[in-house]
Structures are given as C-alpha cells and as structure tokens.
C-alpha cells in the first residue's frame, strides 16, 4: 500500500514535513538530473547530487541584442546574489585550461568560436566548485538556437531565463555612443547622463501658425520628457538681454523692428542646440523654421528633428484666441475677453491690446505661414499633422502618442 492506493492513510504531518523541507522539489530536481545524465549508477549519482546541495543556487541566463543592458544587469545580479558571472570573454581568459587556450587561438584567427567548443567551455566552467556552490549567471550565452539545444543536451538547465528588449532607436543610440580608450581599453560613453523617459532622445519640431498653441505644447513636452524648450523668438531676446556676441548683432534689427537675418538666427540656434543639456535630454523647437530655406539651413547644420508636428488651426479660431487678448497696464496681468474676462468694469476700461494681436496682423502672419506650410510638409515628409483646434491637453495626447509610437512607414 502506498500514497497512490491509499492517499487518505498518509499522516498529515508527513506532507507538512515534505513542504517545510522542500522534499518534493528536491526529488523533482534529482529526477530531472538523472533523466538528463542517465548515469550508469543512478544511486551513487543521486547521493553525489544531494551532497552538492546546490539546487537552490542561482542558475540564470540573460539574453538580448547588443546594448540592451545584459552585462549591467548580470553584474548587478552577481553582486546581490553572490554568484559567478560567465561571459564569452572570461571563458576565453580562463587560466590553466587547455580548452580555453584552443578556443582563444581559434577566435583570434576566425573571430568566432564553434558552437561545440563554446558549450564545452561553459560546461567545464559550470562544473567547477565555485559555480556548484554559488551558482552562475550566463551573460549573452547561448547566442543562437543551436547553442541553446546543446546546453540542454549536456544537462545545463537554467532556473531562470531573462530576455531583454528595447526599441531599435535606443539600441542604435547606445551603440553609437560607445568609445574605447586605446591606451587603457576602458569603455566609456560620449553621451552620459540620465536618459529621459521617452523611448529615444527626442528632437521635436513644432510647426504652426501664430496662436496655434506651440508654446504651450512645447512647455508640456518639456515638463513630461525633461526636454529643453527652445523658442526661437525668446532665444533671440535672451541673447540681446545677455549682451552676448549674437545679441550685439541682433539688437540693431530689434531696434529698427526689422526681421533678423536667417544666418544670424541659425548661428544662435546652433550654439544653443550644441550645448550639453540639449545633447543629453533632447529638445523641442518652435518658431523656426518658418520656410523651406530655413528648414534646409537647420538640416545643413546637423540639427534634424526626429519628430515633426504641424498644429493645424483654422483662421477663425486663431482670431478668437489672439484678437481678444488684453493686458492690464497697471498690474501687467493678461486677460482674454472670452476665456478670462477682467473682474470689473474699471479693469476692463483700462485694458490694452498688443498691436501684434490686431486682426490685420494676425491675418497677415497666418496667411504667410500657410503659404510656406506646403513646402515644409513636403520637406518633413514624415511629419504628423495634429488638429490644434481642441482642448490643449487633448492636443498634447496626440503629440505624445506620436513620440511614443514608431513613425508610420511612408506608403509608396
């Protein structure tokens, strides 16, 4: 009579003992090893297996494409689990191993290691005492299906397999940033620092007519993703206020209310976009370019956006937004006669309108933008058009989805 024929007769304390001491897991692991290795003397094999007492040690495989962070995570796990990190590199550097010497010579000639040789190296290393006692973490091994099948065949069964993944844009950016010091061999990164929480480093261009909400959307993007908010007009004003070299060039045009030449604007933009915060965090640009020539100049300087959004707003909505804006000359507070009316009749009586908010000026600027808009949309052929004539946070959701999701492929 056994547990199969009379399970009701098994004392409950026996089941509890089995759970408390992990007897069932131990038996399962031991049976797996017997079936894998098929030893001639199963009893001696099981006794030796029990003496090792290593069924609970880490046995981890970490896989992923280049620059996915395999080694970083593997090193962290090794440190916190007090385990052994196994990589192709340290397998080849293994001392006093004839197999490692042969593999190293083969790699120096052919820049690859045969599957059978690599798996034999892994098996040799994992059977050493420190790996038996403290476990192991394989970084990037196996590299392909054949190696995985060979690892299973020789009985090296990991308890956990971690597969890392990341968007292609992130992987390419990480790989391109790697640099090796030829003297020390140390690996460093050209661009260091905390990445933003977007799936790549955003370089965003917002295009739209006067009053389309570019400034607000840029501020929301800067807040959400930690981008540098660059308003072209504000950049020129700051250069003048700071009395910089560019400011001295710009000031005469401001004084005469003349358009600042494109060559000066692009140089000021290039200086700002080349600063470290823009390189590390990414940027959102608005107010430039306004036409095709400016767009080409921006590209020629090496500052091509990877996301372009056109905010489409009809003229009637722009007029409503802009022509009803007023400023209190006493307090400096800004009002909108429809959305934020003044609190009293006295305040309303003294409000002033900025000449740039006149209907004539807005019609002129809007017409100028839409005349150049077609050329810009053709130039930035993968740009995303967003309906800007809706709640600003709804507009932001559309823009954010265009940043998070991959760009749609162009239909040919």
């Amino acid at each position: 009579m056994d547990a199969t024929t009379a399970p009701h007769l098994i004392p409950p304390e026996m089941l509890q003992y089995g759970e408390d001491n992990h007897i069932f897991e131990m038996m399962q692991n031991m049976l797996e090893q017997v079936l894998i290795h098929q030893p001639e003397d199963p009893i001696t094999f099981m006794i030796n297996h029990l003496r090792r007492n290593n069924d609970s040690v880490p046995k981890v495989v970490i896989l992923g494409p280049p620059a996915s962070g395999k080694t970083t995570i593997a090193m962290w796990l090794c440190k916190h689990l007090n385990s052994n990190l196994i990589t192709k590199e340290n397998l080849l550097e293994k001392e006093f191993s004839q197999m490692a010497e042969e593999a190293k010579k083969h790699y120096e000639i052919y820049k690859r290691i045969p599957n059978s040789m690599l798996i034999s190296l892994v098996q040799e290393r994992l059977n050493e005492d420190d790996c038996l006692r403290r476990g192991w973490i394989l970084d990037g091994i196996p590299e392909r299906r054949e190696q995985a099948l060979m690892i299973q065949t020789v009985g090296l069964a990991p308890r956990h397999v971690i597969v890392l993944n990341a968007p292609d844009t992130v992987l390419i950016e990480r790989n391109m940033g790697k640099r090796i010091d030829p003297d020390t061999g140390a690996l460093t990164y050209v661009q260091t620092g905390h990445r933003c929480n977007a799936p790549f480093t955003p370089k965003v261009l917002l295009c739209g007519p006067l009053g389309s909400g570019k400034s607000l959307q840029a501020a929301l993007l800067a807040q959400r993703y930690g981008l540098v908010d660059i308003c072209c007009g504000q950049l020129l004003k700051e250069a003048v206020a700071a009395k910089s070299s560019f400011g001295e060039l710009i000031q005469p045009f401001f004084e005469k209310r003349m358009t600042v030449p494109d060559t000066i604007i692009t140089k000021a933009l290039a200086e700002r976009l080349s600063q470290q915060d823009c390189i590390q965090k990414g940027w959102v640009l608005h107010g430039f370019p306004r036409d095709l020539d400016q767009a080409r100049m921006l590209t020629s300087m090496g500052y091509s956006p990877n996301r372009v959004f056109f905010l489409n707003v009809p003229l009637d909505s722009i007029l409503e937004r802009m022509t009803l804006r007023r400023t209190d000359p006493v307090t400096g507070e800004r009002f909108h006669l429809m959305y934020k009316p003044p609190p009293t009749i006295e305040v309303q009586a003294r409000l002033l309108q900025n000449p740039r908010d006149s209907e004539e000026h807005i019609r002129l600027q809007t017409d100028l933008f839409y005349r150049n808009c077609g050329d810009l949309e053709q130039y930035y052929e993968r740009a995303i058009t967003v309906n800007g004539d809706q709640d600003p946070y709804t507009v932001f959701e559309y823009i954010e989805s265009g940043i998070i999701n991959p760009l749609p492929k162009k239909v040919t």
Side-chain angles (χ1 to χ4, degrees), residues 307-320:
R307 289 294 187 274
V308 180
F309 299 93
F310 282 86
L311 302 181
N312 190 13
V313 182
L315 178 60
D316 290 346
S317 296
I318 295 175
L319 291 172
E320 182 181 284

Side-chain angles (χ1 to χ4, degrees), residues 165-348:
N165 198 7
D168 291 346
T169 50
V170 174
L171 299 175
I172 292 170
E173 182 178 314
R174 288 178 182 175
N175 269 318
M176 291 179 66
K178 290 182 179 179
R179 298 293 186 271
I180 296 178
D181 188 326
D183 297 325
T184 65
L187 175 65
T188 58
Y189 289 85
V190 175
Q191 297 180 10
T192 58
H194 177 67
R195 284 182 51 83
C196 74
N197 56 354
F200 58 97
T201 301
K203 300 171 185 176
V204 182
L205 174 62
L206 297 179
C207 296
L210 197 67
S212 59
K214 298 187 297 297
S215 297
L216 175 57
Q217 297 304 323
L220 293 173
L221 284 171
Q223 181 182 29
R224 175 71 176 87
Y225 294 106
L227 310 182
V228 180
D229 184 353
I230 301 177
C231 172
C232 184
Q234 186 63 30
L235 183 67
L236 300 181
K237 292 176 183 177
E238 290 173 358
V240 172
K243 298 182 179 179
S244 65
S245 56
F246 285 115
E248 293 177 357
L249 294 173
I250 296 167
Q251 188 168 5
F253 296 95
F254 274 18
E255 291 174 349
K256 298 176 182 179
R257 297 184 179 275
M258 296 174 60
T259 302
V260 180
D262 290 347
T263 52
I264 298 178
I265 296 175
T266 51
K267 286 179 181 178
L269 273 175
E271 182 183 60
R272 183 66 188 92
L273 293 172
S274 64
Q275 293 180 17
Q276 193 62 26
D277 59 343
C278 287
I279 295 172
Q280 287 184 0
K281 300 177 181 179
W283 42 264
V284 51
L285 173 64
H286 50 111
F288 190 94
R290 297 177 183 272
D291 56 42
L292 182 58
D293 290 338
Q294 291 180 349
R296 287 172 174 165
M297 291 177 72
L298 189 65
T299 302
S300 66
M301 294 187 302
Y303 298 107
S304 296
N306 49 29
R307 289 294 187 274
V308 180
F309 299 93
F310 282 86
L311 302 181
N312 190 13
V313 182
L315 178 60
D316 290 346
S317 296
I318 295 175
L319 291 172
E320 182 181 284
R321 293 180 182 183
M322 303 291 288
T323 59
L324 299 180
R325 298 196 302 189
R326 299 291 187 271
T327 304
D328 186 341
V330 176
T331 64
E333 187 176 358
R334 295 181 177 180
F335 296 96
H336 191 281
L337 299 182
M338 180 178 293
Y339 303 120
K340 187 186 175 184
T344 65
I345 297 176
E346 290 78 13
V347 173
Q348 183 172 352

Side-chain angles (χ1 to χ4, degrees), residues 99-208:
M99 192 182 306
E101 287 292 330
E102 293 176 2
K104 189 173 182 179
K105 290 178 182 178
H106 193 282
Y107 183 79
E108 289 174 351
I109 297 172
Y110 300 104
K111 301 303 178 186
R112 61 181 297 274
I113 305 173
N115 292 340
S116 57
M117 187 176 290
L118 177 63
I119 301 309
S120 296
L121 273 175
V122 172
Q123 186 179 22
E124 180 184 65
R125 178 70 182 90
L126 299 192
N127 284 327
E128 293 182 357
D129 185 61
D130 59 339
C131 286
L132 294 174
R133 286 185 293 103
R134 295 190 286 115
W136 41 266
I137 296 175
L138 284 177
D139 173 12
I141 304 173
E143 299 171 316
R144 53 187 70 91
R145 175 181 170 83
E146 292 81 5
Q147 293 178 4
L149 294 173
M150 293 177 73
I151 283 178
Q152 290 181 337
T153 302
V154 298
L156 302 176
R159 296 174 63 87
H160 300 93
V161 177
I162 301 171
V163 181
L164 304 177
N165 198 7
D168 291 346
T169 50
V170 174
L171 299 175
I172 292 170
E173 182 178 314
R174 288 178 182 175
N175 269 318
M176 291 179 66
K178 290 182 179 179
R179 298 293 186 271
I180 296 178
D181 188 326
D183 297 325
T184 65
L187 175 65
T188 58
Y189 289 85
V190 175
Q191 297 180 10
T192 58
H194 177 67
R195 284 182 51 83
C196 74
N197 56 354
F200 58 97
T201 301
K203 300 171 185 176
V204 182
L205 174 62
L206 297 179
C207 296

